[in-house]
Amino acid sequence: MRSRIPVILLACGSFNPTTNMHMRLFELARDHLHQTGRYQVIEGIMSPVSDNYGKKGLVSARHRVAMAKLALETSDWIRVDPWESEQDTWTETVKVLRHHYNEALRAFQSKEFMRNKHPTESSTEDSLSCQDPDVNVAVRKIANLLKPDKEILQNGDHMIIKTLSTFRNYIMEFDVGKEFEEDLSGVDDRKCMTTVSWDGDKLLCVQNGEKEGRGWTQWIEGDEMHLEIRVCGVTCKQVFKKVQ
């Protein structure tokens, strides 16, 4: 399962009201995607249109959202999202897709989320005070399914570190020992002043910005690369295997 591409299913419509076939569509789509052997569905989202859709006999959005929630009470993977129903005008489906994609992307790429994935050294108080409210259950499931790759290119003191996955790629380029502004747009939408330097045979990164104590340490042990990520007094660790 961990090698499959994670997928979120999104259905837009009036849901006036939600029917058994609306819910069955999610099940059929999930079953088909799983049977391909390539995908893992981690969440389904039902998105009712706003009252400005203009359909004859359309019940108020707040009632349609409430009915959908009741219909999905027994589902452990499909939920109702009211964002589209709360818009002042009718929203094109592509814009709804873009909204949910950006929400999942921003939450998944945040280092706060990565800390939640492997909370190896944290207290409850620290974890709550540093947690990103945009991080949802669906995105946590995505991280548990993905196996990101690291590609490191070095030319003297100039380094490029690529973090690659089926969900999102992030490229960090820097000169060792020189401070630079790191733009984390698409990761957690923050900027920080970053310095990466050598600490013995380890790379030590310090990121000065909104989050206290943010940074990481990276080192090699045999055919494994160890990455320790820190923020707000919380630490998580990832281990990568060398590809022959």
Side-chain angles (χ1 to χ4, degrees), residues 59-68:
V59 176
S60 171
R62 65 187 183 92
H63 292 308
R64 287 183 284 114
V65 169
M67 286 188 289

Side-chain angles (χ1 to χ4, degrees), residues 15-29:
F15 300 105
N16 190 48
T18 302
T19 67
N20 287 332
M21 283 309 300
H22 285 138
M23 294 181 285
R24 183 62 180 145
L25 284 172
F26 280 98
E27 301 289 346
L28 291 171

Side-chain angles (χ1 to χ4, degrees), residues 167-218:
F167 191 69
R168 181 72 173 184
N169 298 330
Y170 178 66
I171 300 175
M172 183 180 186
E173 185 170 359
F174 58 90
D175 291 313
V176 177
K178 293 184 180 180
E179 186 180 54
F180 66 98
E181 184 179 54
E182 187 176 5
D183 187 349
L184 295 162
S185 298
V187 179
D188 59 8
D189 293 330
R190 295 186 174 93
K191 292 184 178 181
C192 56
M193 297 307 297
T194 300
T195 304
V196 181
S197 56
W198 288 108
D199 181 14
D201 59 353
K202 298 180 178 181
L203 275 179
L204 175 65
C205 175
V206 176
Q207 298 166 309
N208 294 314
E210 296 177 37
K211 295 295 183 179
E212 182 181 354
R214 179 171 179 164
W216 49 261
T217 303
Q218 179 177 292

Side-chain angles (χ1 to χ4, degrees), residues 118-184:
H118 295 296
T120 55
E121 299 177 14
S122 64
S123 67
T124 302
E125 182 177 356
D126 286 341
S127 180
L128 291 175
S129 65
C130 198
Q131 189 168 356
D132 191 325
D134 288 334
V135 177
N136 56 40
V137 174
V139 180
R140 296 181 189 186
K141 290 180 179 178
I142 291 176
N144 286 326
L145 291 167
L146 287 180
K147 297 177 68 176
D149 294 321
K150 286 280 187 182
E151 182 179 333
I152 302 174
L153 305 174
Q154 182 178 4
N155 183 9
D157 286 335
H158 187 75
M159 300 189 72
I160 301 175
I161 300 177
K162 300 179 180 180
T163 304
L164 310 172
S165 75
T166 54
F167 191 69
R168 181 72 173 184
N169 298 330
Y170 178 66
I171 300 175
M172 183 180 186
E173 185 170 359
F174 58 90
D175 291 313
V176 177
K178 293 184 180 180
E179 186 180 54
F180 66 98
E181 184 179 54
E182 187 176 5
D183 187 349
L184 295 162

